[in-house]
Amino acid sequence: MAIEAEGLCKGYGSTRALRGVDLAVPAGTVLGLLGPNGAGKTTTVRTLATLLVPDGGRAEVAGYDVVRRPHEVRRRIGLAGQYAAVDELLTGRENLVLIGTLLHLGRRAARARAAELLDRFDLTGAGDRPARTYSGGMRRRLDLAACLVARPSVLFLDEPTTGLDPVSRMSLWSAVRELVADGVTVLLTTQYLEEADYLADRIVVVDAGRVIADGTPNELKRKVGEERLEIVVTHPDGVPAAVSALRRVTAGEPVVDRDRGVVSIAVGEGVDSMDGIATAAAALRRENVAVADFALRRPTLDDVFVSLTGRSA
Ligand SMILES: Nc1ncnc2c1ncn2[C@@H]1O[C@H](COP(=O)(O)OP(=O)(O)O)[C@@H](O)[C@H]1O
Ligand SMILES: [Mg+2]
């Protein structure tokens, strides 16, 4: 295990931020720590990264106890937060060279490492501009690059894409995937099921300082309910034809909401979602059903929460 925690507890005054958190992350895998605001994600990350001392429980990161051997832990980890910790006045390249120099890489090796990381994160063109001119997405990428100068074996990413536009989010996701391909262990916190789904091997859902569920993305989604294909018919008279068309696509029974003119079927269980979509579209056309909307609806974090806790996130 690259990260292992048992019964972690942490309070701030009267707020009990962590109430016994257990985690186990095998080396070379990605754990998604998923939860709403205030769930305890940042507190968990800061405790594992030795920035906070837990009140109870124990944790090991990269084989070392976070309380007794914090220096050993720090030498092996990287931490990128929600707020990029780059020096605004320095250029991207200078930021990275500075870190390399502080790590005693030596001037030449520090410059080489900076160039390599700028290239890897598509920042070569902007490398000699002050970081204050960077977009939000570029800052996050520079921040991630800064964490990697020391070649950590365990990386903590605290809401790495919150507030980013979809294109920047995708580019950060692919950067994380590359790191994992290189064997880095990643613990990533997020409020987006979609992000955990795309990046994580396993997901742990936290709420109010406790783990309320864990599993692979598919196990978790199955617990919540599967992907559904929703068809909105143009006219309510089209509902019966839509139902008969969709019956041929799925083993289950289509669900009908007559008032909204919506017919939906589960995909994913037995029906692969792409095949299901294609077959459903063809069947609807054969029955001449006029369709106003045709959409694949995935369970959201909110669906996970409602299903697990009975309340909205
Ligand atoms: N420095 C702090 N002082 C007091 N309370 C805090 C502090 N940091 C976090 N908290 C509280 O601890 C709980 C967990 O916070 P946090 O770990 O930041 O959650 P998340 O990262 O999931 O949003 C919240 O109730 C939050 O208000
Ligand atoms: Mg947080």
Side-chain angles (χ1 to χ4, degrees), residues 241-242 245-246 248 278-291 294:
L246 293 174
R248 275 184 259 122
T279 321
L284 290 163
R285 165 165 288 175
R286 235 179 295 123
E287 297 276 344
N288 287 318
V289 181
V291 170
F294 184 93

Side-chain angles (χ1 to χ4, degrees), residues 165-178:
D165 60 87
V167 174
S168 304
R169 176 169 295 169
M170 288 301 279
S171 115
L172 216 110
W173 284 0
S174 64
V176 172
R177 281 215 157 160
E178 274 180 40

Side-chain angles (χ1 to χ4, degrees), residues 118-193:
L118 288 172
D119 184 48
R120 171 164 204 173
F121 290 100
D122 288 326
L123 291 169
T124 302
D128 297 308
R129 264 166 44 197
R132 80 179 117 79
T133 66
Y134 286 17
S135 68
M138 291 163 80
R139 266 168 218 241
R140 294 286 174 86
R141 297 209 303 277
L142 179 60
D143 196 42
L144 188 52
C147 294
L148 296 176
V149 174
R151 300 180 194 278
S153 63
V154 177
L155 192 61
F156 295 100
L157 303 175
D158 194 8
E159 297 199 26
T161 67
T162 295
L164 291 188
D165 60 87
V167 174
S168 304
R169 176 169 295 169
M170 288 301 279
S171 115
L172 216 110
W173 284 0
S174 64
V176 172
R177 281 215 157 160
E178 274 180 40
L179 290 171
V180 177
D182 288 352
V184 176
T185 306
V186 176
L187 188 157
L188 148 120
T189 78
T190 183
Q191 300 190 37
Y192 311 117
L193 180 61

Side-chain angles (χ1 to χ4, degrees), residues 35 43 86 92 101 111 126 145 160 233-234 302 310:
T43 305
V86 296
T101 312
R111 292 199 67 81
V233 295
T234 309
D302 216 51

Side-chain angles (χ1 to χ4, degrees), residues 80-277:
Q82 196 174 337
Y83 304 99
V86 296
D87 188 322
E88 303 269 302
L89 298 177
L90 300 181
T91 67
R93 189 184 309 279
E94 286 165 348
N95 266 287
L96 299 179
V97 171
L98 174 66
I99 291 165
T101 312
L102 293 172
L103 290 167
H104 307 293
L105 288 189
R107 189 89 196 146
R108 180 179 295 175
R111 292 199 67 81
R113 185 76 178 134
E116 184 190 325
L117 288 166
L118 288 172
D119 184 48
R120 171 164 204 173
F121 290 100
D122 288 326
L123 291 169
T124 302
D128 297 308
R129 264 166 44 197
R132 80 179 117 79
T133 66
Y134 286 17
S135 68
M138 291 163 80
R139 266 168 218 241
R140 294 286 174 86
R141 297 209 303 277
L142 179 60
D143 196 42
L144 188 52
C147 294
L148 296 176
V149 174
R151 300 180 194 278
S153 63
V154 177
L155 192 61
F156 295 100
L157 303 175
D158 194 8
E159 297 199 26
T161 67
T162 295
L164 291 188
D165 60 87
V167 174
S168 304
R169 176 169 295 169
M170 288 301 279
S171 115
L172 216 110
W173 284 0
S174 64
V176 172
R177 281 215 157 160
E178 274 180 40
L179 290 171
V180 177
D182 288 352
V184 176
T185 306
V186 176
L187 188 157
L188 148 120
T189 78
T190 183
Q191 300 190 37
Y192 311 117
L193 180 61
E194 189 196 359
E195 177 159 288
D197 191 9
Y198 185 77
L199 290 174
D201 298 296
R202 293 191 71 83
I203 296 176
V204 166
V205 185
V206 287
D207 181 38
R210 283 205 178 88
V211 174
I212 57 170
D214 77 299
T216 65
N218 282 336
E219 285 167 355
L220 211 61
K221 279 188 287 182
R222 232 172 283 139
K223 258 184 228 178
V224 178
E226 59 290 75
E227 292 184 336
R228 299 194 69 81
L229 188 61
E230 281 192 359
I231 287 98
V232 183
V233 295
T234 309
H235 196 275
D237 294 351
V239 167
V243 169
S244 82
L246 293 174
R247 258 196 201 122
R248 275 184 259 122
V249 180
T250 170
E253 183 63 16
V255 173
V256 179
D257 178 340
R258 254 174 225 288
D259 296 338
R260 288 167 54 227
V262 177
V263 181
S264 73
I265 57 169
V267 289
E269 202 71 54
V271 193
D272 169 66
S273 50
M274 279 314 277
D275 285 347
I277 291 165

